[in-house]
Amino acid sequence: MTFNLTILGSGSATPILNRHPTAQVVAIEGDYFLIDCGEGTQYRLMENHLRPGRLKYIFISHLHGDHYFGLVPLLSSLNLSGRTDDLWLFGPRGLWEIITTQFRYSDTKLNYPLHFQETDPHQPTQLLDHPNVRVETIPLQHRIDCTGFLFREKNRKRKLIAEKLPADLPVAFYRHLKDGNDVLDDLGQVLYRAEDYTIPAPPARSYAFCSDTRYHEAMFDQIRGVDLLYHEASFLDDMEALSEKYFHSTARQAALTAVQAEVGRLMIGHFSSRYKTTDEFLVQARSVFPETVLAVEGETTEV
Ligand SMILES: [Zn+2]
Ligand SMILES: [Zn+2]
């Protein structure tokens, strides 16, 4: 199953050329899950050849502009493009009012159903039970209400051993075997044992998105052991005091979170525009947690 992440924006609130505000796409099979929607996100989608029509779910972490100023333009463009498919939007209290106010004054009527669910900034809540994943909120510690999002793949199916499959086995039974069920004859006798023709399913994967936040121990248990953690790293060590004051994290704190929560890999982003290059973020984070990569716009990572 496809389960990957494409970074559309790795910057923070103050604009800087060549770095864009937060937005990323999780692709699971054919469905796109957009996380945050900073200014210009619809152009980033086009640049990365991600068809906006495939967007099914949008998650907004909080109402600082660098995380949602691209939302109304995107929703409007989907309308212009003739969308009729349902779209689900999850975000903080106030978001629905902002959107509907803009649409009311521009006399915009959406031709597709837009469903909104408010997020609870205080406790983890399941937002979505999709055929392939479950998504829940991660309460974060920021200047205003803010939640991250945790994607957990549902149990995967066993894998067929192609060269072992009997030629006379009807294709209809493949799914049976992949579910771990034996194929029986009319009398209930075992014809084909699932164990003989399949190997166990690979472990279910998980992805946690955490931006924006201070170093926040309360979430460690919830994200423990995830395969990939995206954590904001707005500042370097030189700005630790400022980072604390603004409810952000340093690269080192993001890495410490990765260590404490025993995650597989760490990706850092949301770099402050006061840093013109990002190399030092990687150096400082890797000194604590070697399995760290930078969020690079336009790059796609397998979860
Ligand atoms: Zn931000
Ligand atoms: Zn913020």
Side-chain angles (χ1 to χ4, degrees), residues 41-208:
T41 293
Q42 58 176 334
Y43 297 98
R44 308 280 93 71
L45 288 167
M46 285 194 258
E47 281 169 5
N48 289 281
H49 310 289
L50 295 165
R51 286 193 3 240
R54 280 201 178 171
L55 286 173
K56 229 169 165 180
Y57 310 96
I58 301 178
F59 302 85
I60 302 295
S61 62
H62 67 301
L63 291 184
H64 282 152
D66 55 318
H67 296 259
Y68 86 98
F69 278 170
L71 183 59
V72 169
L74 175 63
L75 297 176
S76 304
S77 299
L78 289 173
N79 203 39
L80 291 173
S81 71
R83 183 186 180 105
T84 54
D85 293 345
D86 292 51
L87 184 65
W88 282 267
L89 173 65
F90 305 88
R93 188 175 61 85
L95 180 59
W96 188 247
E97 187 185 338
I98 292 168
I99 294 170
T100 49
T101 300
Q102 292 212 28
F103 284 157
R104 186 162 69 249
Y105 285 103
S106 60
D107 195 25
T108 301
K109 291 192 178 50
L110 295 183
N111 296 312
Y112 59 90
L114 177 63
H115 311 277
F116 177 68
Q117 185 181 331
E118 199 174 289
T119 49
D120 178 347
H122 304 296
Q123 54 194 2
T125 317
Q126 181 170 302
L127 297 177
L128 180 63
D129 189 2
H130 178 271
N132 300 114
V133 280
R134 292 195 179 83
V135 185
E136 63 187 45
T137 55
I138 307 168
L140 301 174
Q141 196 178 63
H142 196 40
R143 206 150 45 79
I144 58 173
D145 288 347
C146 183
T147 67
F149 302 101
L150 175 58
F151 290 68
R152 281 193 191 284
E153 191 177 28
K154 291 185 176 177
N155 283 338
R156 302 168 78 182
K157 291 190 184 301
R158 298 176 68 89
K159 279 195 166 158
L160 294 170
I161 308 169
E163 57 276 16
K164 270 199 179 177
L165 286 176
D168 59 339
L169 178 69
V171 176
F173 288 124
Y174 287 8
R175 192 203 291 208
H176 228 67
L177 293 172
K178 283 161 81 173
D179 285 337
N181 298 319
D182 300 335
V183 175
L184 310 176
D185 67 12
D186 294 343
L187 300 171
Q189 300 293 318
V190 176
L191 286 178
Y192 305 103
R193 208 173 290 281
E195 243 175 46
D196 297 339
Y197 299 101
T198 60
I199 53 170
R205 295 163 289 179
S206 50
Y207 170 58

Side-chain angles (χ1 to χ4, degrees), residues 38 201 234 268:
S234 300
I268 51 175

